[in-house]
Short mmCIF file of all heavy atoms in Angstrom, two decimals:
data_model
loop_
_atom_site.label_atom_id
_atom_site.label_comp_id
_atom_site.label_asym_id
_atom_site.label_seq_id
_atom_site.Cartn_x
_atom_site.Cartn_y
_atom_site.Cartn_z
N MET I 9 9.39 -1.59 5.29
CA MET I 9 9.12 -1.98 3.91
C MET I 9 9.93 -3.22 3.51
O MET I 9 10.91 -3.57 4.17
CB MET I 9 9.44 -0.83 2.96
CG MET I 9 10.90 -0.41 2.97
SD MET I 9 11.21 1.27 2.33
CE MET I 9 10.29 1.29 0.81
N ILE I 10 9.50 -3.86 2.43
CA ILE I 10 10.27 -4.95 1.86
C ILE I 10 11.18 -4.39 0.77
O ILE I 10 10.95 -3.29 0.25
CB ILE I 10 9.37 -6.07 1.29
CG1 ILE I 10 8.49 -5.55 0.15
CG2 ILE I 10 8.53 -6.70 2.39
CD1 ILE I 10 7.68 -6.64 -0.55
N GLY I 11 12.20 -5.16 0.41
CA GLY I 11 13.13 -4.69 -0.61
C GLY I 11 12.46 -4.40 -1.94
O GLY I 11 12.83 -3.46 -2.65
N ASN I 12 11.46 -5.20 -2.32
CA ASN I 12 10.78 -4.98 -3.59
C ASN I 12 10.07 -3.63 -3.63
O ASN I 12 10.01 -2.98 -4.67
CB ASN I 12 9.78 -6.11 -3.86
CG ASN I 12 10.45 -7.36 -4.39
OD1 ASN I 12 11.61 -7.33 -4.79
ND2 ASN I 12 9.72 -8.47 -4.40
N ASP I 13 9.49 -3.20 -2.49
CA ASP I 13 8.87 -1.88 -2.44
C ASP I 13 9.92 -0.78 -2.62
O ASP I 13 9.68 0.22 -3.30
CB ASP I 13 8.15 -1.68 -1.10
CG ASP I 13 6.87 -2.51 -1.00
OD1 ASP I 13 6.40 -3.00 -2.04
OD2 ASP I 13 6.36 -2.67 0.12
N ALA I 14 11.08 -0.97 -2.00
CA ALA I 14 12.15 0.02 -2.12
C ALA I 14 12.63 0.11 -3.57
O ALA I 14 12.93 1.21 -4.06
CB ALA I 14 13.31 -0.36 -1.20
N ILE I 15 12.70 -1.02 -4.25
CA ILE I 15 13.10 -1.04 -5.66
C ILE I 15 12.07 -0.30 -6.50
O ILE I 15 12.43 0.53 -7.36
CB ILE I 15 13.29 -2.48 -6.15
CG1 ILE I 15 14.52 -3.11 -5.49
CG2 ILE I 15 13.41 -2.53 -7.67
CD1 ILE I 15 14.65 -4.61 -5.70
N GLY I 16 10.80 -0.57 -6.27
CA GLY I 16 9.74 0.10 -7.02
C GLY I 16 9.76 1.60 -6.80
O GLY I 16 9.65 2.39 -7.75
N LEU I 17 9.90 2.02 -5.54
CA LEU I 17 9.95 3.44 -5.24
C LEU I 17 11.18 4.08 -5.86
O LEU I 17 11.13 5.20 -6.37
CB LEU I 17 9.94 3.65 -3.72
CG LEU I 17 9.93 5.10 -3.22
CD1 LEU I 17 8.74 5.87 -3.78
CD2 LEU I 17 9.93 5.13 -1.70
N GLY I 18 12.30 3.35 -5.84
CA GLY I 18 13.52 3.86 -6.46
C GLY I 18 13.36 4.06 -7.96
O GLY I 18 13.87 5.04 -8.52
N ALA I 19 12.65 3.15 -8.61
CA ALA I 19 12.41 3.28 -10.05
C ALA I 19 11.58 4.52 -10.37
O ALA I 19 11.88 5.25 -11.31
CB ALA I 19 11.72 2.02 -10.58
N ILE I 20 10.54 4.76 -9.56
CA ILE I 20 9.72 5.94 -9.78
C ILE I 20 10.53 7.21 -9.53
O ILE I 20 10.47 8.18 -10.30
CB ILE I 20 8.47 5.90 -8.87
CG1 ILE I 20 7.54 4.77 -9.31
CG2 ILE I 20 7.73 7.24 -8.90
CD1 ILE I 20 6.34 4.55 -8.41
N ALA I 21 11.31 7.22 -8.46
CA ALA I 21 12.14 8.38 -8.15
C ALA I 21 13.16 8.64 -9.25
O ALA I 21 13.55 9.80 -9.50
CB ALA I 21 12.86 8.17 -6.82
N ALA I 22 13.60 7.58 -9.93
CA ALA I 22 14.57 7.72 -11.02
C ALA I 22 13.94 8.26 -12.30
O ALA I 22 14.65 8.53 -13.27
CB ALA I 22 15.23 6.37 -11.30
N GLY I 23 12.62 8.40 -12.32
CA GLY I 23 11.94 8.91 -13.49
C GLY I 23 11.41 7.83 -14.41
O GLY I 23 10.97 8.13 -15.52
N SER I 24 11.42 6.57 -13.97
CA SER I 24 10.85 5.52 -14.79
C SER I 24 9.34 5.69 -14.88
O SER I 24 8.67 5.91 -13.87
CB SER I 24 11.17 4.14 -14.22
OG SER I 24 10.56 3.13 -14.99
N ARG I 25 8.82 5.58 -16.08
CA ARG I 25 7.39 5.72 -16.29
C ARG I 25 6.80 4.53 -17.05
O ARG I 25 5.67 4.59 -17.52
CB ARG I 25 7.09 7.02 -17.05
CG ARG I 25 7.45 8.28 -16.25
CD ARG I 25 6.63 8.39 -14.98
NE ARG I 25 6.96 9.56 -14.18
CZ ARG I 25 7.79 9.56 -13.14
NH1 ARG I 25 8.41 8.43 -12.79
NH2 ARG I 25 8.02 10.66 -12.46
N PHE I 26 7.58 3.46 -17.18
CA PHE I 26 7.07 2.28 -17.87
C PHE I 26 7.72 1.03 -17.29
O PHE I 26 8.93 0.97 -17.11
CB PHE I 26 7.36 2.35 -19.37
CG PHE I 26 6.86 1.16 -20.14
CD1 PHE I 26 5.52 1.05 -20.50
CD2 PHE I 26 7.73 0.13 -20.51
CE1 PHE I 26 5.06 -0.05 -21.19
CE2 PHE I 26 7.27 -0.97 -21.21
CZ PHE I 26 5.93 -1.06 -21.54
N MET I 27 6.89 0.04 -17.01
CA MET I 27 7.37 -1.27 -16.61
C MET I 27 6.63 -2.34 -17.38
O MET I 27 5.40 -2.32 -17.49
CB MET I 27 7.17 -1.51 -15.11
CG MET I 27 7.67 -2.88 -14.66
SD MET I 27 7.27 -3.26 -12.94
CE MET I 27 8.21 -4.80 -12.73
N SER I 28 7.38 -3.27 -17.94
CA SER I 28 6.78 -4.46 -18.58
C SER I 28 7.32 -5.67 -17.85
O SER I 28 8.53 -5.77 -17.61
CB SER I 28 7.16 -4.51 -20.06
OG SER I 28 8.55 -4.32 -20.23
N ALA I 29 6.43 -6.57 -17.47
CA ALA I 29 6.87 -7.71 -16.67
C ALA I 29 5.85 -8.83 -16.72
O ALA I 29 4.69 -8.64 -17.09
CB ALA I 29 7.11 -7.29 -15.22
N TYR I 30 6.32 -10.00 -16.32
CA TYR I 30 5.47 -11.18 -16.18
C TYR I 30 5.60 -11.63 -14.72
O TYR I 30 6.71 -11.70 -14.19
CB TYR I 30 5.94 -12.29 -17.13
CG TYR I 30 5.04 -13.50 -17.13
CD1 TYR I 30 3.88 -13.52 -17.91
CD2 TYR I 30 5.34 -14.62 -16.37
CE1 TYR I 30 3.05 -14.64 -17.92
CE2 TYR I 30 4.52 -15.73 -16.38
CZ TYR I 30 3.37 -15.74 -17.15
OH TYR I 30 2.56 -16.82 -17.16
N PRO I 31 4.49 -11.94 -14.04
CA PRO I 31 4.57 -12.28 -12.61
C PRO I 31 5.43 -13.50 -12.33
O PRO I 31 5.34 -14.51 -13.05
CB PRO I 31 3.10 -12.55 -12.24
CG PRO I 31 2.29 -11.87 -13.30
CD PRO I 31 3.11 -11.95 -14.54
N ILE I 32 6.26 -13.41 -11.31
CA ILE I 32 7.09 -14.53 -10.90
C ILE I 32 7.61 -14.27 -9.48
O ILE I 32 7.97 -13.15 -9.14
CB ILE I 32 8.27 -14.76 -11.88
CG1 ILE I 32 9.06 -16.02 -11.51
CG2 ILE I 32 9.17 -13.54 -11.94
CD1 ILE I 32 10.11 -16.42 -12.55
N THR I 33 7.62 -15.31 -8.67
CA THR I 33 8.18 -15.20 -7.31
C THR I 33 9.70 -15.20 -7.40
O THR I 33 10.27 -15.98 -8.15
CB THR I 33 7.72 -16.42 -6.47
OG1 THR I 33 6.29 -16.43 -6.44
CG2 THR I 33 8.26 -16.36 -5.06
N PRO I 34 10.39 -14.32 -6.65
CA PRO I 34 9.89 -13.34 -5.69
C PRO I 34 9.92 -11.90 -6.21
O PRO I 34 10.21 -10.98 -5.45
CB PRO I 34 10.87 -13.52 -4.53
CG PRO I 34 12.17 -13.82 -5.22
CD PRO I 34 11.82 -14.56 -6.48
N ALA I 35 9.65 -11.71 -7.52
CA ALA I 35 9.70 -10.37 -8.11
C ALA I 35 8.34 -9.72 -8.25
O ALA I 35 8.26 -8.52 -8.51
CB ALA I 35 10.36 -10.45 -9.49
N SER I 36 7.27 -10.47 -8.06
CA SER I 36 5.93 -9.97 -8.39
C SER I 36 5.55 -8.71 -7.62
O SER I 36 4.81 -7.86 -8.13
CB SER I 36 4.88 -11.06 -8.14
OG SER I 36 5.09 -12.16 -9.00
N GLU I 37 6.07 -8.59 -6.39
CA GLU I 37 5.69 -7.42 -5.59
C GLU I 37 6.19 -6.11 -6.20
O GLU I 37 5.60 -5.05 -5.96
CB GLU I 37 6.24 -7.56 -4.16
CG GLU I 37 5.52 -8.60 -3.31
CD GLU I 37 5.95 -10.01 -3.68
OE1 GLU I 37 6.95 -10.16 -4.41
OE2 GLU I 37 5.28 -10.95 -3.23
N ILE I 38 7.26 -6.16 -6.98
CA ILE I 38 7.71 -4.95 -7.67
C ILE I 38 6.66 -4.52 -8.67
O ILE I 38 6.27 -3.35 -8.74
CB ILE I 38 9.06 -5.19 -8.38
CG1 ILE I 38 10.14 -5.61 -7.37
CG2 ILE I 38 9.50 -3.93 -9.14
CD1 ILE I 38 11.44 -6.01 -8.01
N MET I 39 6.18 -5.48 -9.44
CA MET I 39 5.14 -5.20 -10.42
C MET I 39 3.87 -4.70 -9.75
O MET I 39 3.23 -3.73 -10.20
CB MET I 39 4.87 -6.46 -11.24
CG MET I 39 3.93 -6.27 -12.41
SD MET I 39 3.72 -7.84 -13.30
CE MET I 39 2.65 -7.31 -14.62
N GLU I 40 3.50 -5.35 -8.63
CA GLU I 40 2.29 -4.94 -7.92
C GLU I 40 2.43 -3.52 -7.36
O GLU I 40 1.47 -2.73 -7.39
CB GLU I 40 2.01 -5.93 -6.79
CG GLU I 40 1.59 -7.31 -7.30
CD GLU I 40 1.62 -8.37 -6.21
OE1 GLU I 40 1.88 -8.02 -5.04
OE2 GLU I 40 1.38 -9.55 -6.53
N TYR I 41 3.63 -3.20 -6.86
CA TYR I 41 3.87 -1.85 -6.35
C TYR I 41 3.74 -0.83 -7.48
O TYR I 41 3.14 0.24 -7.30
CB TYR I 41 5.27 -1.78 -5.74
CG TYR I 41 5.60 -0.43 -5.14
CD1 TYR I 41 5.36 -0.17 -3.79
CD2 TYR I 41 6.15 0.58 -5.91
CE1 TYR I 41 5.65 1.07 -3.24
CE2 TYR I 41 6.45 1.83 -5.37
CZ TYR I 41 6.20 2.06 -4.02
OH TYR I 41 6.47 3.29 -3.49
N MET I 42 4.30 -1.16 -8.64
CA MET I 42 4.25 -0.22 -9.77
C MET I 42 2.83 -0.08 -10.31
O MET I 42 2.41 1.02 -10.71
CB MET I 42 5.19 -0.69 -10.87
CG MET I 42 6.65 -0.78 -10.46
SD MET I 42 7.36 0.75 -9.82
CE MET I 42 7.69 1.61 -11.35
N ILE I 43 2.05 -1.17 -10.32
CA ILE I 43 0.65 -1.09 -10.76
C ILE I 43 -0.13 -0.14 -9.86
O ILE I 43 -0.96 0.65 -10.33
CB ILE I 43 0.00 -2.49 -10.76
CG1 ILE I 43 0.58 -3.34 -11.91
CG2 ILE I 43 -1.52 -2.41 -10.88
CD1 ILE I 43 0.17 -4.80 -11.86
N ALA I 44 0.16 -0.18 -8.56
CA ALA I 44 -0.56 0.68 -7.62
C ALA I 44 -0.09 2.12 -7.67
O ALA I 44 -0.88 3.04 -7.39
CB ALA I 44 -0.38 0.13 -6.20
N ASN I 45 1.17 2.35 -8.04
CA ASN I 45 1.72 3.69 -7.88
C ASN I 45 2.16 4.39 -9.17
O ASN I 45 2.17 5.62 -9.22
CB ASN I 45 2.92 3.64 -6.93
CG ASN I 45 2.50 3.30 -5.51
OD1 ASN I 45 1.93 4.11 -4.80
ND2 ASN I 45 2.79 2.06 -5.10
N LEU I 46 2.54 3.64 -10.20
CA LEU I 46 3.03 4.28 -11.41
C LEU I 46 1.98 5.15 -12.11
O LEU I 46 2.31 6.24 -12.62
CB LEU I 46 3.59 3.24 -12.38
CG LEU I 46 4.58 3.73 -13.44
CD1 LEU I 46 5.73 4.50 -12.81
CD2 LEU I 46 5.11 2.57 -14.27
N PRO I 47 0.69 4.74 -12.14
CA PRO I 47 -0.32 5.62 -12.76
C PRO I 47 -0.44 6.98 -12.07
O PRO I 47 -0.88 7.96 -12.70
CB PRO I 47 -1.62 4.81 -12.62
CG PRO I 47 -1.16 3.38 -12.57
CD PRO I 47 0.12 3.42 -11.79
N LYS I 48 -0.04 7.07 -10.81
CA LYS I 48 -0.12 8.35 -10.08
C LYS I 48 0.83 9.39 -10.68
O LYS I 48 0.64 10.60 -10.47
CB LYS I 48 0.23 8.14 -8.60
CG LYS I 48 -0.72 7.21 -7.87
CD LYS I 48 -0.26 6.96 -6.43
CE LYS I 48 -1.14 5.96 -5.72
NZ LYS I 48 -0.64 5.66 -4.34
#
C-alpha cells in the first residue's frame, strides 16, 4: 500500500465518519480512498 491509503484506513479505524477536502497533490489519494470506503 501507499502511505495515503494507510492514513485513510487509519482514519476509518479511528472512528472518523466525515472528511472535507479539496483535491491537491500529493494528498488527493486520501480523499479518493475515503470516497471509496467511508460510505461503507
Side-chain angles (χ1 to χ4, degrees):
M9 62 200 312
I10 62 174
N12 280 348
D13 288 345
I15 290 169
L17 183 56
I20 292 175
S24 177
R25 295 298 179 263
F26 180 80
M27 180 187 188
S28 49
Y30 185 83
I32 185 171
T33 301
S36 296
E37 288 77 12
I38 301 173
M39 187 179 182
E40 292 167 4
Y41 182 92
M42 300 303 280
I43 289 171
N45 292 287
L46 201 53
K48 298 175 184 177

